[in-house]
Amino acid sequence: MRRPVAIRLSAALGTLALAAATGAVLTAPTASAAANGATGYATQNGGTTGGAGGQTVRATTGTAIHQALCNRAASSTPIVIEVEGTINHGNTTKVSGDSCNTAADKIELKQISNVTIVGVGNGAVFDQLGIHIRDSSNIIIQNVTVRNVKKSGSPLSNGGDAIGMESTVRNVWVDHATLEASGGESEGYDGLFDMKDNTQYVTLSYSTLRNSGRGGLIGSSESDRSNSYITFHHNLYENIDSRAPLLRGGTAHMYNNHYVSLNESGINSRAGAKAKVDNNYFEDSKDVLGTFYTSEAGYWQVGGNIFDNVTWSERGSENNPAGPNPQSNTTVSIPYSYSLDDAGCVPEVVRATAGANKGLRVSDGNCSAETPDPTPDPTDPTPDPTDPTPDPTDPTQPGGTNLSLGAGADGSSKASGTSYGNVRDGDLSTYWSPAGSTGSVSVKWGSATTVSKINIREAAGSSGAIGSWKVVNGDTGATLTSGNGAGVITFPATSLKKITFTITSASSTPKLAEFETYAG
């Protein structure tokens, strides 16, 4: 019986233009970060949304990534960093600031929160440079390749881990990533995906891990049992010697993964750990599940898995393979909803979806891949026939480019449940409201912008609530014009960085769905 698919949250991303080192100024989003929303244990403990609702910055160097983090108002200010190109030691330097704590030899996400890093365009490759997450929370890493990170030899980065988490990390979602090495420890490499020292609520989904001695660990030693609540689903593990993963203490859920050529061991549950292992496909591998290299037992619950050409070693004092006929020795309760593809189709589904640059394709729970609905490109001149935004050729509506699409927003206090970042262009069901019947909302740009016309649209079902208002030059405080009711407002062309719409009276709580700005 299939379980219902978890609700998928669409991240609504603000797009404040920002220059970050050598990264270009971004005026419109070009990728749908976290298009389908987090899954697995990353949905628990308050959920994982990354930088949703924050600024969007384009970065083409590691220094630009660090600069974007350091340019935020605070270490928790949401931000989406779109990465294109190759990030390496030559273009990654330390950047200092009150909102960041970076290092030159890695991408450092340290003592921060609410960040999304997503590969866009022709792709993002972190070459010999790892991503380090420490003392941080609510992080999304999506559509990136991290390769050949070394802990010995040259150059060194991140202790040899492609992605490493440690020291009180919460809520991380890594999705559609390709993590790869070119050998094992003797060649200078360590783990591809490591979690230790109190890391919890993590999901690794639709990713490829290959060509490494060590896939990854959860817990750095038998005494490091503070790491827990980890989900692995629809991933490809290929040509991995061991640790797929190594789990010390805690709880993990592995479902719909394809394991190929696990050369020594696979899921190594030990030191009291519990693993729920559902509908995976194990192929051409050895000792894919059990407790290995220790006498401290771990546990597992199995169901629906396929073991295709899997060999099992003999049991010993420090070797307890689950096979050749794997049976459950514990039960694991999973708190989130999820759908299971049949194990028989897992190789095909994973092949179509796992890894970077796969179009963020996901399983639909019925053994086929689907492409998520794209975020509309606001620069696309072709109107969507289902878009509720009026036809720009309508003489009652302004023409030209809506300048608000590349800008940020702020204003007076917000009513409960509303947010500038949650307002989506063209969707009249999303809106901002002031805490009372009056208040103000602003659109702002990084450089002076000429505006002569705005369009105020109220949310569906609340038309007519806005009474009197004034439009204010946010740079000088001067009133540009005033009037009553929502709609198109015209005033003399003014060059400014910030424009404010202030509601001075209303018949009921105003609901502002659109604050469009135009040059003419």
Side-chain angles (χ1 to χ4, degrees), residues 254-435:
M254 297 84 170
Y255 71 92
N256 286 152
N257 301 293
H258 186 200
Y259 303 89
V260 185
S261 298
L262 303 182
N263 302 315
E264 297 174 11
S265 60
I267 301 171
N268 186 353
S269 179
R270 53 199 260 189
K274 293 183 177 182
K276 183 169 173 61
V277 185
D278 292 327
N279 288 34
N280 301 282
Y281 196 105
F282 300 93
E283 183 177 3
D284 298 337
S285 297
K286 176 185 177 183
D287 284 343
V288 297
L289 174 64
T291 296
F292 307 104
Y293 324 121
T294 182
S295 60
E296 297 194 41
Y299 307 95
W300 45 86
Q301 180 181 349
V302 294
N305 302 288
I306 291 177
F307 301 92
D308 180 3
N309 192 32
V310 171
T311 60
W312 304 91
S313 61
E314 297 292 330
R315 286 181 170 81
S317 60
E318 295 190 350
N319 207 53
N320 181 29
N325 181 28
Q327 301 293 316
S328 300
N329 56 19
T330 192
T331 57
V332 181
S333 177
I334 300 300
Y336 50 83
S337 59
Y338 61 101
S339 59
L340 285 173
D341 289 305
D342 292 333
C345 68
V346 162
E348 179 181 357
V349 169
V350 168
R351 186 182 308 111
T353 58
N357 305 316
K358 290 290 185 72
L360 301 183
R361 300 181 75 198
V362 298
S363 165
D364 65 358
N366 293 293
C367 288
S368 62
E370 63 179 10
T371 300
D373 294 333
T375 299
D377 182 351
T379 64
D380 185 354
T382 305
D384 183 342
T386 64
D387 189 346
T389 302
D391 185 339
T393 62
D394 184 341
T396 66
Q397 298 297 326
T401 301
N402 175 11
L403 303 174
S404 298
L405 291 172
D410 62 14
S412 60
S413 60
K414 303 178 286 293
S416 176
T418 76
S419 168
Y420 314 117
N422 288 340
V423 176
R424 295 187 293 273
D425 180 59
D427 185 348
L428 296 185
S429 68
T430 63
Y431 59 86
W432 168 85
S433 287

Side-chain angles (χ1 to χ4, degrees), residues 72-84:
R72 296 181 298 162
S75 61
S76 61
T77 301
I79 190 169
V80 176
I81 305 174
E82 296 183 339
V83 181
E84 183 174 19

Side-chain angles (χ1 to χ4, degrees), residues 12-356:
L13 306 178
T15 54
L16 175 64
L18 177 67
T22 57
V25 174
L26 179 68
T27 58
T30 57
S32 177
N36 292 299
T39 55
Y41 274 115
T43 64
Q44 305 298 292
N45 191 43
T48 304
T49 56
Q55 305 166 353
T56 297
V57 177
R58 178 66 62 90
T60 58
T61 68
T63 301
I65 295 173
H66 285 160
Q67 188 68 54
L69 296 171
C70 296
N71 281 345
R72 296 181 298 162
S75 61
S76 61
T77 301
I79 190 169
V80 176
I81 305 174
E82 296 183 339
V83 181
E84 183 174 19
T86 300
I87 310 301
N88 54 35
H89 285 260
N91 62 32
T92 302
T93 58
K94 175 181 174 64
V95 178
S96 299
D98 293 338
S99 62
C100 64
N101 189 349
T102 69
D105 65 340
K106 61 182 76 69
I107 296 300
E108 187 81 303
L109 308 179
K110 184 177 182 181
Q111 298 167 343
I112 62 176
S113 60
N114 308 326
V115 174
T116 294
I117 294 178
V118 55
V120 298
N122 293 321
V125 177
F126 294 78
D127 185 35
Q128 303 180 75
L129 197 79
I131 299 174
H132 184 221
I133 304 171
R134 182 183 179 93
D135 297 306
S136 295
S137 63
N138 195 23
I139 306 294
I140 293 174
I141 299 173
Q142 190 173 48
N143 199 39
V144 302
T145 295
V146 187
R147 67 189 184 196
N148 293 335
V149 180
K150 286 192 172 185
K151 70 173 183 177
S152 63
S154 179
L156 304 180
S157 178
N158 198 31
D161 296 336
I163 297 179
M165 291 158 269
E166 62 180 307
S167 187
T168 316
V169 172
R170 293 291 186 274
N171 291 87
V172 176
W173 179 35
V174 177
D175 176 65
H176 285 90
T178 295
L179 311 178
E180 55 191 9
S182 296
E185 187 175 19
S186 61
E187 286 80 27
Y189 306 100
D190 196 8
L192 296 177
F193 195 70
D194 278 12
M195 292 157 276
K196 54 191 177 183
D197 191 16
N198 197 16
T199 293
Q200 298 182 5
Y201 300 104
V202 176
T203 295
L204 177 68
S205 59
Y206 298 102
S207 294
T208 294
L209 297 85
R210 62 161 68 100
N211 301 335
S212 177
R214 296 169 173 175
L217 58 77
I218 304 169
S220 59
S221 67
E222 305 297 74
S223 62
D224 181 14
R225 304 188 185 192
S226 57
N227 311 279
S228 191
Y229 311 122
I230 319 295
T231 300
F232 303 82
H233 74 89
H234 293 93
N235 302 300
L236 170 64
Y237 284 80
E238 184 177 26
N239 191 27
I240 303 290
D241 287 344
S242 63
R243 301 186 181 182
L246 164 58
L247 175 63
R248 293 172 166 129
T251 299
H253 186 199
M254 297 84 170
Y255 71 92
N256 286 152
N257 301 293
H258 186 200
Y259 303 89
V260 185
S261 298
L262 303 182
N263 302 315
E264 297 174 11
S265 60
I267 301 171
N268 186 353
S269 179
R270 53 199 260 189
K274 293 183 177 182
K276 183 169 173 61
V277 185
D278 292 327
N279 288 34
N280 301 282
Y281 196 105
F282 300 93
E283 183 177 3
D284 298 337
S285 297
K286 176 185 177 183
D287 284 343
V288 297
L289 174 64
T291 296
F292 307 104
Y293 324 121
T294 182
S295 60
E296 297 194 41
Y299 307 95
W300 45 86
Q301 180 181 349
V302 294
N305 302 288
I306 291 177
F307 301 92
D308 180 3
N309 192 32
V310 171
T311 60
W312 304 91
S313 61
E314 297 292 330
R315 286 181 170 81
S317 60
E318 295 190 350
N319 207 53
N320 181 29
N325 181 28
Q327 301 293 316
S328 300
N329 56 19
T330 192
T331 57
V332 181
S333 177
I334 300 300
Y336 50 83
S337 59
Y338 61 101
S339 59
L340 285 173
D341 289 305
D342 292 333
C345 68
V346 162
E348 179 181 357
V349 169
V350 168
R351 186 182 308 111
T353 58

